[in-house]
Amino acid sequence: MNEHHRSMTMSERADALEEEKMHEMERILTRSTFAYLTEGRREMDTSPPLLAKYPGRYFNMGADPRLPPMPDKPTLVDYFRHRFASTAHLLQSATHALKTGQPEKVVMACLVHDIAIVSFIRCDHGYWGAQMIEPYVDEEIAWAVKMHQALRFFPDESVGYSYPDLYKSLFGPDYRPEPYIVEEYQRARAHKWYMTSRLICMNDIYAFDPSAKVDLDDFVDIIGRNFKQPKEGLGFDNSPSAHMWRTILWPTRFL
Ligand SMILES: [Fe+2]
Ligand SMILES: [Fe+2]
């Protein structure tokens, strides 16, 4: 680290290091406005100053060379292996559902219930995740994934589900779900598929044995039966959520 770097704030230093790396890249990689927002910055990458900074270079309009390469026609399994930041929680939850003999629909729902968090976005992850999978799974699975977001916060004594202790340590003892979550919970509670979503919560345990062996290979057949993999590749099939998968595939594409 040089003198210049030492006098900078953490985020300035990160930017400077990134910029140094960028000079080695063939294409100019950009960040989406949302990436800045998540750092508490209201900023955006604009073309003229960046083009001036990297003369003779063009913006990246495809794959990000820093990320693992993906096949031309990616499958859900490819996203699990090369894009999702972590799969342990999903696999543990699905393994728990499998080992306790729950219906395959529930196992599949558990396997994908938090895919939005591991690939895309935290806030309202149930809704984003449900939209990502909706064109490819049974309607009930997508609904259950959407609603688990709200159900997680509400106990159901009849099935032995109580408010997660983890949430007390994560959000503080005084946290109360916002009104839109409360309303969603009430809608879910009255719905015919309520129990499917509740079962996601029942399997959504954070205190699994960390040494338990979980393996995506154990779920490839279940995915095959419950996820309609598009032959064009996930992201290129013109479905209502294809763009979401493409964005995860190419997160630094300029447009
Ligand atoms: Fe979740
Ligand atoms: Fe979860």
Side-chain angles (χ1 to χ4, degrees), residues 7 9-11 23 30 38 58 65 101 103 115 120 133 138 141 181 194 198 211 213 216 218 234:
S7 61
T9 66
M10 275 247 280
S11 99
H23 280 284
T30 49
T38 61
Y58 298 110
I115 53 169
F120 195 44
I133 60 172
D138 189 296
I141 295 178
I181 293 280
Y194 164 70
R198 179 54 81 188
S211 63
K213 199 188 148 292
L216 182 61
D218 297 342
L234 201 45

Side-chain angles (χ1 to χ4, degrees), residues 113-159:
H113 77 283
D114 283 339
I115 53 169
I117 293 182
V118 298
S119 66
F120 195 44
I121 198 165
R122 274 193 171 280
C123 177
D124 277 333
H125 74 284
Y127 299 88
W128 289 105
Q131 274 188 302
M132 285 166 71
I133 60 172
E134 206 162 20
Y136 315 106
V137 297
D138 189 296
E139 209 185 331
E140 187 175 349
I141 295 178
W143 185 90
V145 167
K146 174 180 164 186
M147 291 306 194
H148 94 276
Q149 161 146 358
L151 287 188
R152 281 295 267 144
F153 294 102
F154 298 89
D156 183 346
E157 314 273 299
S158 78
V159 290

Side-chain angles (χ1 to χ4, degrees), residues 89 113-114 204 206:
H89 171 65
H113 77 283
D114 283 339
D204 198 359
Y206 289 89

Side-chain angles (χ1 to χ4, degrees), residues 75-94:
T75 64
L76 178 64
V77 169
D78 292 320
Y79 281 91
F80 260 86
R81 294 202 200 281
H82 306 301
R83 281 295 178 276
F84 294 0
S86 169
T87 56
H89 171 65
L90 295 177
L91 292 173
Q92 289 194 332
S93 164

Side-chain angles (χ1 to χ4, degrees), residues 82-255:
H82 306 301
R83 281 295 178 276
F84 294 0
S86 169
T87 56
H89 171 65
L90 295 177
L91 292 173
Q92 289 194 332
S93 164
T95 301
H96 187 263
L98 193 63
K99 295 241 166 91
T100 47
Q102 294 170 44
E104 198 164 279
K105 220 182 256 186
V106 172
V107 177
M108 184 66 199
C110 290
L111 187 65
V112 292
H113 77 283
D114 283 339
I115 53 169
I117 293 182
V118 298
S119 66
F120 195 44
I121 198 165
R122 274 193 171 280
C123 177
D124 277 333
H125 74 284
Y127 299 88
W128 289 105
Q131 274 188 302
M132 285 166 71
I133 60 172
E134 206 162 20
Y136 315 106
V137 297
D138 189 296
E139 209 185 331
E140 187 175 349
I141 295 178
W143 185 90
V145 167
K146 174 180 164 186
M147 291 306 194
H148 94 276
Q149 161 146 358
L151 287 188
R152 281 295 267 144
F153 294 102
F154 298 89
D156 183 346
E157 314 273 299
S158 78
V159 290
Y161 179 86
S162 36
Y163 184 82
D165 282 336
L166 178 77
Y167 282 9
K168 287 180 208 152
S169 54
L170 290 181
F171 313 127
D174 299 328
Y175 171 73
R176 295 290 174 270
E178 293 75 8
Y180 84 97
I181 293 280
V182 178
E183 284 161 25
E184 196 75 296
Y185 160 70
Q186 284 155 354
R187 278 189 291 269
R189 194 77 188 75
H191 198 280
K192 62 179 171 182
W193 292 330
Y194 164 70
M195 204 38 84
T196 311
S197 192
R198 179 54 81 188
L199 279 167
I200 294 181
C201 307
M202 306 283 290
N203 290 289
D204 198 359
I205 306 162
Y206 289 89
F208 287 124
D209 173 6
S211 63
K213 199 188 148 292
V214 285
D215 195 339
L216 182 61
D217 288 340
D218 297 342
F219 297 97
V220 169
D221 289 346
I222 293 177
I223 292 173
R225 285 192 292 272
N226 292 275
F227 191 89
K228 291 180 219 83
Q229 171 63 40
K231 59 178 185 332
E232 303 89 339
L234 201 45
F236 302 102
D237 52 316
N238 194 34
S239 85
S241 68
H243 63 287
M244 297 171 80
W245 294 96
R246 281 197 306 273
T247 299
I248 295 164
L249 185 68
W250 297 327
T252 51
R253 204 182 136 106
F254 190 70
L255 289 177

